[in-house]
Amino acid sequence: MKQSLLVLGLAATASAFTGPSPNSRPDTALFGGARGVATTREGKMETVSKVKELLDSSEMIFTVPASGITVSQVQSLRKSLPEGTTMSVVKNKLMNRAISGTDYEAAGEMLKGANMWFFIEEDIGASVKSFNSFTKAEALKESHSILGGTMDGTNYDAAGVTAISKLPSKMDLIAQIAGSINAVPTKVARIVKAPGMKVARAIKLAGDEVTGGE
């Protein structure tokens, strides 16, 4: 999946909305207010459906403040993200509906203010690195640091997200698993990279298939 910026709050329009914020801010193409198709019942249902699809294919999600980022800054950040990572501004109420009953339900604790979410399919390390490089280049490190993230039903603070980002990626795991069980890397890759496959389950399946489930 190509990297993309899905401003899911407005589906087919060029504007997006964010959650309520105590501070006023000028309208931009990103923070245009809740107008258009997103205010309809159908639009909201479509937003929730799209977020659920992203959650199904994500290994991890994390959030940062959405307020005060310009459209040009967002475009720059989007271009720097690795393939398989999607960033999106989602209204808190709709995000809460999307995560209900999923492995990411715990993320509800972070639904405060305006949030920009990062849905990461695979390369957590590169995604966090890209975001940190962006905030440093744009002098936003103080105001737009990572607030927290969720993985396998557990919430992590900024330090936890950073620690996880330094762990081996799926591609690294593929090489390690293949070497440890003397398997063909492409066979292991097919299992580990299956859509929605979590790392822990993928490792078990890879070992079971190659060893015959012994």
Side-chain angles (χ1 to χ4, degrees):
M1 181 180 73
K2 295 182 178 180
Q3 54 180 274
S4 59
L5 169 61
L6 300 180
V7 186
L8 297 175
L10 282 180
T13 71
S15 299
F17 53 72
T18 62
S21 173
N23 301 317
S24 61
R25 58 174 180 260
D27 285 355
T28 67
L30 181 62
F31 303 114
R35 296 192 295 266
V37 69
T39 62
T40 67
R41 183 171 181 274
E42 292 75 14
K44 292 177 180 179
M45 289 176 64
E46 183 177 353
T47 295
V48 172
S49 178
K50 287 183 177 180
V51 174
K52 282 183 175 292
E53 289 179 6
L54 287 172
L55 292 172
D56 285 343
S57 61
S58 294
E59 191 69 43
M60 180 184 196
I61 62 174
F62 71 82
T63 185
V64 304
S67 302
I69 303 180
T70 67
V71 174
S72 61
Q73 288 174 326
V74 168
Q75 292 173 339
S76 175
L77 175 56
R78 174 181 58 81
K79 292 177 181 178
S80 72
L81 294 174
E83 182 177 354
T85 295
T86 300
M87 68 185 226
S88 172
V89 175
V90 187
K91 198 169 185 178
N92 289 337
K93 184 178 291 186
L94 301 184
M95 185 67 177
N96 193 48
R97 292 178 187 173
I99 62 177
S100 179
T102 73
D103 290 342
Y104 297 99
E105 192 164 11
E109 297 177 6
M110 293 179 274
L111 297 179
K112 301 174 183 177
N115 293 284
M116 178 179 289
W117 291 92
F118 290 72
F119 302 85
I120 308 172
E121 281 190 21
E122 184 173 312
D123 204 336
I124 299 173
S127 299
V128 172
K129 183 177 180 180
S130 292
F131 178 74
N132 287 337
S133 295
F134 163 77
T135 56
K136 182 177 180 180
E138 298 291 338
L140 294 171
K141 207 167 185 63
E142 293 285 330
S143 59
H144 288 77
S145 59
I146 294 174
L147 297 174
T150 306
M151 183 176 185
D152 292 333
T154 301
N155 283 344
Y156 297 89
D157 59 13
V161 173
T162 298
I164 291 173
S165 73
K166 295 178 180 179
L167 296 174
S169 66
K170 274 190 177 182
M171 293 308 296
D172 294 329
L173 286 172
I174 287 171
Q176 292 175 15
I177 296 170
S180 65
I181 61 180
N182 195 28
V184 179
T186 53
K187 189 173 185 179
V188 178
R190 174 174 56 78
I191 301 170
V192 177
K193 291 173 70 64
M197 182 67 70
K198 305 301 181 184
V199 173
R201 181 165 175 260
I203 293 174
K204 182 179 186 303
L205 288 178
D208 288 347
E209 179 165 324
V210 176
T211 60
E214 296 178 0

